[in-house]
Amino acid sequence: MQLLGPLRVWREDEELAVGPPKQKALLALLATHRGTVVSREQIIDALWGPEAPDTAMNGVHTYVAGLRRVLDPDRRGREAGGLLMSTAGGYELRLPLQSVDAALFAQFCVEARRMAAEGDEAAAFDRLGKALGLWYGDALAGIPGPFAALERGRLREMRFSAAEDWIVGMIAAGRCEEAIVVTGEAIAQEPLREKLRCLLMLALYRSGRQAHALQAYNDARALLREELGIEPGVELRSLHRRILSGEEVHAPAGRGPAPARQGRPQESAAEGVATAPMPALYPRQLPSRAHVFVGREDELGYVRQLLVQEVPERGRASPIVAIDGQPGVGKSALALELAHECLGRFPDGQLYTDLGGTSERPLTPSEALARMLLSLGVPADSLPADLDGRATLYRSLLHGKRMLVLLDDALDGDQIRTLIPQGSACVIVTGRRPQRGLVARYGAHRISLKPLDPDTAVDLLERLLDGETGRGTREAIHRLVEQCGYLPLGIRITAAALLEDPYSSPERLAALYEDPATRLDLLAVAGDEGMSVRAALRASYRSLPEKTARLFRLLSAVGLEAIGLPEGGGVPGVHSSEVMSHLELLADLGLLERKGAGRYRLRELIWAYAEEMAEAEQQPRLPRAVRRLSAAPPPGYGNLRTG
């Protein structure tokens, strides 16, 4: 049962609907006093206070009956047993301690103090992290009544006291950058708590940021004078004087437990931070998924099974799903479908970042980390300046969190390597290039998307049109999806065109699509660069090295024939030893289709784009030389010569 946040109750994996607010308040009261009898008079005082109506006792009976239907649905009448028991004096909720998060939190705090007193500071620090990780917002959020208000305040004080001890331990271990972030989140919720202000100043000063530490004091002093008309307390003023004089300042002695120092500082930081104690932010950044999505059942089923089975060991990389495929094949749509489907498995939030791998300026790893840290609540002026510092802080904040990270449109492994957290998070990556490095390094699960099969493509177009196709157009619908290369992007653009123009029809549009060059012009939505087949192809073409781009243009002379590597010939301007690598790069970026070992094919739309690029570059066509690529490849191709 969750009390440290909005009240929630589960029976095994099923969440239960508790009922109206007063019924929730009664359950919170009984859960807080689990194992003891709460009298009816206490219940009335807790739920209504001194202004209780004459009907309060009837209300108690109603809410008890309602709770029994929720908690003991199989119990009949006055049958003995169950969770909610009636006694002569009142009611008792019989639950084990580990079933109520508030009780577990209190026990963890007691155990942490005992461990610290016994000298086991690392275990105490870890136990505090677990205690603070139980929180999901304000305790008893939304629960009415005097008891809920008092209990909310009591638990809040316990939470911030534990957080202060946890931060002290972090500073003592030299993890000041992480302490700055956590303390800043706590101050945002308790701006008048001077102990937190001291810890923020101390963490800033210990990380070499004296000016920021002094500014933090000025901010605290201004707030206290404005809100309360008082000066900072003795501890805050004393720390300010010592920082001004440049003295060496240590973490307060005898307060919080400190984690063990093992290995390099950045490694211990990533390993030791169990949970950020002030989870003020639960990012929910996923874009909406496609309003119509069909097919991909095998891929969806594969990931469902993966998430059920895969529980990473401590310190291992998070589960990674890497989706690749040619432009317009639906990588992002599948990733979002997967992400939205499994939201319940990642209650700590979802991070989304468009890495811009196909844009003119992809994000650098440092820029991507900055965006994600800001999304996790790190103030802009607290961002570490260097890549290693940002990566360490990112891993620390995600450590132990059930969080989903979606990295869309990745360029390559170098761009995303530092964005892979450890442990219970899950990462979904999309990109045109196969992420072979992630497979080799982290055991990523690769999904290589192909165009839809004809029947699924037809189903997608018909659902998008939602019965607006008219009658007798089945053959035209089949022709349209074929002309779109069975790619979801082209099919969605085609559906939009048919729905927008009341005078159009599948037959008429299919006739216009017969010319591939015209088709490229029509497969675009005006004003939306992301809904254009030509723009999608341009993004891949723009990323090609010069020689690979030249080969791509030359291949327009081959047409739609199968492309292979003949013996004893070559391609003008491209050295023979490079031919295979260039063809493989084109295939990796979706500009060629692999048809077997050493065999490739240009799809019709891509061939039209290659022709367009050849004309734009005014590149002389060399059909005879280039058509030699269409000969059946021999067992070896080492005898190729440049033309």
Side-chain angles (χ1 to χ4, degrees):
M1 181 183 302
Q2 177 179 292
L3 301 181
L4 304 180
L7 189 144
R8 301 174 71 186
V9 181
W10 293 266
R11 182 187 294 113
E12 296 180 347
D13 293 331
E14 177 189 4
E15 184 168 0
L16 306 179
V18 177
K22 279 284 197 293
Q23 191 161 299
K24 291 181 178 179
L26 174 58
L27 179 59
L29 173 67
L30 296 174
T32 303
H33 295 84
R34 57 171 193 82
T36 60
V37 176
V38 181
S39 71
R40 294 172 179 83
E41 291 73 19
Q42 286 177 302
I43 293 174
I44 291 174
D45 287 342
L47 269 60
W48 285 278
E51 303 299 326
D54 294 338
T55 59
M57 188 62 74
N58 292 336
V60 171
H61 295 151
T62 300
Y63 298 138
V64 168
L67 286 179
R68 282 202 171 117
R69 286 193 295 272
V70 174
L71 301 176
D72 297 317
D74 299 328
R75 184 179 177 186
R76 298 181 180 178
R78 300 181 178 273
E79 189 176 57
L83 297 177
L84 182 52
M85 303 297 296
S86 298
T87 68
Y91 304 97
E92 176 186 352
L93 187 63
R94 294 182 176 178
L95 286 175
L97 179 145
Q98 60 269 24
S99 295
V100 181
D101 60 355
L104 200 57
F105 168 74
Q107 177 173 299
F108 282 168
C109 290
V110 170
E111 291 175 353
R113 288 194 294 271
R114 176 179 54 77
M115 292 170 178
E118 294 172 353
D120 194 352
E121 294 184 344
F125 183 83
D126 183 63
R127 192 57 53 92
L128 271 182
K130 290 180 179 178
L132 293 161
L134 294 170
W135 285 79
Y136 286 89
D138 290 336
L140 305 176
I143 303 298
F147 167 77
L150 290 171
E151 185 67 6
R152 190 179 298 118
R154 185 184 74 88
L155 289 170
R156 184 181 180 86
E157 178 59 34
M158 290 177 63
R159 178 189 190 187
F160 279 92
S161 178
E164 289 168 350
D165 287 352
W166 198 83
I167 294 167
V168 168
M170 194 182 297
I171 295 173
R175 302 175 185 177
C176 294
E177 292 289 350
E178 300 155 52
I180 291 168
V181 175
V182 172
T183 310
E185 292 177 355
I187 288 173
Q189 298 178 64
E190 281 282 351
L192 297 176
R193 199 172 179 102
E194 290 193 42
K195 182 64 182 181
L196 289 174
R197 298 283 182 171
C198 279
L199 293 174
L200 177 60
M201 290 172 61
L202 181 59
L204 287 166
Y205 185 58
R206 292 280 299 274
S207 61
R209 298 163 62 181
Q210 182 182 21
H212 286 96
L214 295 173
Q215 182 59 51
Y217 174 81
N218 291 335
D219 292 343
R221 185 184 184 212
L223 182 70
L224 290 169
R225 295 179 70 175
E226 179 181 349
E227 295 290 328
L228 304 176
I230 62 174
E231 289 292 326
V234 174
E235 187 179 5
L236 203 55
R237 294 199 309 271
S238 173
L239 179 59
H240 178 242
R241 285 195 300 269
R242 296 173 69 188
I243 292 175
L244 272 176
S245 63
E247 296 180 31
E248 185 176 357
V249 183
H250 299 283
R255 274 299 307 265
R261 292 174 177 259
Q262 294 179 354
R264 295 178 298 176
Q266 62 266 31
E267 291 174 345
S268 61
E271 182 68 16
V273 180
T275 310
M278 292 282 115
L281 293 178
Y282 295 91
R284 301 288 189 265
Q285 297 185 334
L286 292 181
S288 58
R289 51 183 168 182
H291 73 286
V292 174
F293 185 90
V294 300
R296 309 301 190 195
E297 288 86 0
D298 291 344
E299 292 85 355
L300 289 168
Y302 173 70
V303 176
R304 289 189 200 108
Q305 191 67 20
L306 167 67
L307 293 177
V308 169
Q309 292 180 347
E310 184 149 337
V311 178
E313 298 176 23
R314 185 177 176 86
R316 302 290 187 194
S318 301
I320 304 169
V321 177
I323 304 172
D324 62 74
Q326 68 185 88
V329 79
K331 301 178 291 295
S332 296
L334 175 62
L336 288 171
E337 192 73 16
L338 288 169
H340 280 279
E341 183 178 297
C342 61
L343 284 184
R345 296 183 178 275
F346 302 100
D348 293 326
Q350 306 89 40
L351 290 171
Y352 172 87
T353 299
D354 183 350
L355 297 174
T358 56
S359 68
E360 294 187 17
R361 188 185 177 279
L363 292 183
T364 66
S366 186
E367 290 169 337
L369 282 167
R371 288 191 181 186
M372 300 178 84
L373 289 172
L374 290 171
S375 299
L376 290 167
V378 179
D381 59 359
S382 296
L383 288 174
D386 62 306
L387 177 62
D388 286 344
R390 291 181 179 185
T392 298
L393 181 56
Y394 169 73
R395 290 193 299 269
S396 298
L397 292 176
L398 261 64
H399 186 83
K401 294 293 184 72
R402 296 282 298 170
M403 188 170 285
L404 179 66
V405 180
L406 203 167
L407 305 174
D408 202 10
D409 193 18
L411 177 64
D412 53 29
D414 290 338
Q415 185 191 36
I416 59 180
R417 193 171 299 124
T418 55
L419 307 180
I420 306 299
Q422 296 178 359
S424 52
C426 176
V427 181
I428 300 176
V429 181
T430 76
R432 295 189 180 177
R433 300 188 185 199
Q435 298 295 339
R436 300 184 181 95
L438 293 184
V439 176
R441 184 185 291 265
Y442 301 114
H445 303 270
R446 181 184 167 200
I447 296 176
S448 186
L449 287 188
K450 306 299 180 188
L452 299 172
D453 64 79
D455 290 340
T456 304
V458 168
D459 186 23
L460 174 60
L461 183 53
E462 289 181 334
R463 292 199 192 186
L464 289 167
L465 295 173
D466 194 24
E468 297 293 325
T469 59
R471 302 180 64 180
T473 61
R474 187 73 179 176
E475 183 178 346
I477 291 288
H478 275 273
R479 179 61 184 144
L480 279 175
V481 298
E482 181 184 5
Q483 290 169 325
C484 292
Y486 304 111
L487 295 174
L489 175 61
I491 294 171
R492 293 182 187 278
I493 295 171
T494 296
L498 288 170
L499 291 171
E500 181 183 12
D501 185 355
Y503 302 105
S504 185
S505 68
E507 291 89 350
R508 182 171 179 270
L509 194 56
L512 291 173
Y513 278 4
E514 285 300 327
D515 175 37
T518 302
R519 199 186 317 162
L520 274 178
D521 293 334
L522 295 175
L523 285 174
V525 175
D528 190 343
E529 185 79 0
M531 295 297 287
S532 165
V533 171
R534 178 182 281 111
L537 295 173
R538 184 191 306 128
S540 286
Y541 176 76
R542 187 172 52 218
S543 68
L544 295 175
E546 181 182 350
K547 286 188 176 182
T548 311
R550 173 175 168 78
L551 175 60
F552 176 68
R553 297 192 298 269
L554 289 171
L555 290 177
S556 64
V558 175
L560 303 180
E561 301 176 28
I563 299 167
L565 290 168
E567 187 171 10
V571 180
V574 184
H575 193 273
S576 58
S577 63
E578 301 175 5
V579 174
M580 178 58 83
S581 64
H582 291 311
L583 291 173
E584 279 293 297
L585 177 56
L586 289 171
D588 278 352
L589 290 171
L591 296 177
L592 276 181
E593 181 184 9
R594 292 184 176 90
K595 299 299 290 182
R599 301 290 287 173
Y600 309 88
R601 182 171 75 92
L602 277 171
R603 285 187 170 269
E604 191 174 27
L605 282 174
I606 299 175
W607 166 74
Y609 183 74
E611 238 188 5
E612 192 175 285
M613 290 299 97
E615 292 173 2
E617 296 289 334
Q618 296 183 339
Q619 180 169 311
R621 297 196 188 158
L622 304 168
R624 182 178 302 173
V626 178
R627 284 185 186 276
R628 301 181 70 185
L629 285 172
S630 64
Y637 53 89
N639 295 326
L640 291 177
R641 297 288 184 269
T642 57

